[in-house]
Amino acid sequence: MARYAPTNTPIRNYAVAFFLSVFFLYADITHQTFSPLRGIMNGSGLYIQDISRSIFENISFTFSSLKQNKYLLQENKKLREQALQIGIKDFIEKKDNEKKTQVSDFQETLFSTLKTSDINVFKIASIDLRNYFCCSSHKVFLHNPNKIKIEKNFSVFAGTSYVGQTKKTFLNFIEVILLSDNEHVLPIKSDLLYCDARGKGKPMLISCKFDKYDFKNQIGDIVFTSGLGGIFLKNIEIGFISEVIPITSDEIEIVITLKTNPLEENFYGIISIDTNEI
Amino acid sequence: MKFSNHLIVISSVIFGFWLDDYLNQFSIKYSIELNFGFLIFSYWVFAMPEKIQSLAAMLYGLAVDLFFSNVIGYNMLFFVATSYIIHLYVFRFRIFSYFQLSVFFSGFSTFYIAFKYLLLSPYNYSYFVLILSFLVNAILWIGVYLMMRAFRRRIF
């Protein structure tokens, strides 16, 4: 009888490790057991990114300074410092004004579209690009330096339309689940079409299934929120019908392309209280 | 194995996953999912089976899950399973050619990707992605193998 080659394989240890991993995986998928831990890790990662970015900028600034001619540096030190100070002040003022203009423009859009003034504007911290292009999970993280209390399931607005809703907050960040996330469901309407559109897990796409014979719309029709879920205000344009895919002989899938591309947005608005307009 | 050596191994695995994170944003548009992190881990187990066993595989998986995954346990599970299978056939691998090794490890990494899609993102599951990723990862394995071998000989 042939002998097995000796290996470093104590199967009991592997079995224990295997079942422990399966238990962790099951607990996390079904009950989100490790969600707070992941939140802390995400927040820490974002902090590290911010810090490393500022360190890198400082180092590159130092190196570029060293490259300057030493004699000229001494000769013109005072003048350059003054000029630099003026330049930096000017730059900061300009950027500050640009930012203020962007924020105020965005706020104006929010006020005129949503007709409510209870809106907080947040700057984007990061978008989960790893999953955004390949997988079902589509998330954005927003900076919340003032730790404004934001509850779960508040609608999030960017550009000229809704982009998602808040999921949770951790450290100084707010996690937002985008409309295109596979777990997100958005009640929509377009003329006679009413349905709950689920994120397709692909950038800027949501879809809903519908009875073929009840479908009276056309490709290109504008789609609005219906407000039936109680989270999003009604009659906000969110996109247009871009594709109709037959599933069975009686059923079709309506694909809706969203109006706002989250990759192009810097500022996100969150309505902080419930309004009576839903 | 010393703790500092474990740190070197886990750092290289984390670097691989970080590279995947960065490159997959672009490669996924061409239906290719790179898997450097998993290939690097497989290399370490393949090269030093007596030093990386069940506990190390599980802890590496946990670290990767914490930094890169959407769920805890996924990389743990795969690292433990991969480690076990590599340990089981480690002496047979010694007589495999580069081609056979690249097919085996690429196949394993494709299984990893397929399982990830099935479990976490079933709507995006695509055989086309899997086939292309298999071919690309098979080529990548050769590069990972040669680079990591040179690295290992210098460090250990």
Side-chain angles (χ1 to χ4, degrees), chain A residues 15 73 121 161 250:
Chain A
L73 270 172
V121 176
S161 180
D250 296 332

Side-chain angles (χ1 to χ4, degrees), chain A residues 14-28 34, chain B residues 54 57-58 61-62 65 72-81:
Chain A
Y14 278 102
V16 170
F18 185 83
F19 284 114
L20 197 63
S21 310
V22 170
F23 173 73
F24 277 16
L25 189 60
Y26 176 77
D28 205 16
F34 300 105
Chain B
S54 55
M58 195 177 78
L62 181 63
D65 277 331
I72 303 289
Y74 181 75
N75 283 294
M76 280 170 78
L77 180 64
F78 257 85
F79 280 18
V80 168

Side-chain angles (χ1 to χ4, degrees), chain A residues 46-58 125 143:
Chain A
L46 292 171
Y47 271 126
I48 290 166
Q49 270 180 24
D50 279 353
I51 292 164
S52 57
R53 195 178 298 142
S54 68
I55 290 170
F56 181 75
E57 279 169 5
N58 281 335
H143 276 298

Side-chain angles (χ1 to χ4, degrees), chain A residues 42 104 146 153 160 210 218 258:
Chain A
N42 277 333
S104 63
N146 301 326
N153 300 126
T160 53
F210 210 69
Q218 291 175 340
L258 296 169

Side-chain angles (χ1 to χ4, degrees), chain A residues 119-135:
Chain A
I119 297 164
N120 294 304
V121 176
F122 300 94
K123 198 177 179 189
I124 188 169
S126 150
I127 183 162
D128 185 10
L129 283 176
R130 173 163 47 100
N131 288 307
Y132 187 71
F133 287 115
C134 81
C135 304

Side-chain angles (χ1 to χ4, degrees), chain A residues 105-123:
Chain A
D105 283 353
F106 180 54
Q107 272 177 331
E108 267 178 36
T109 315
L110 287 170
F111 296 153
S112 62
T113 315
L114 303 175
K115 296 176 182 62
T116 172
S117 58
D118 299 304
I119 297 164
N120 294 304
V121 176
F122 300 94
K123 198 177 179 189

Side-chain angles (χ1 to χ4, degrees), chain A residues 155-173:
Chain A
S155 55
V156 180
F157 201 93
T160 53
S161 180
Y162 283 123
V163 288
Q165 60 180 291
T166 55
K167 196 173 180 189
K168 60 187 168 197
T169 55
F170 51 85
L171 302 176
N172 286 354
F173 300 97

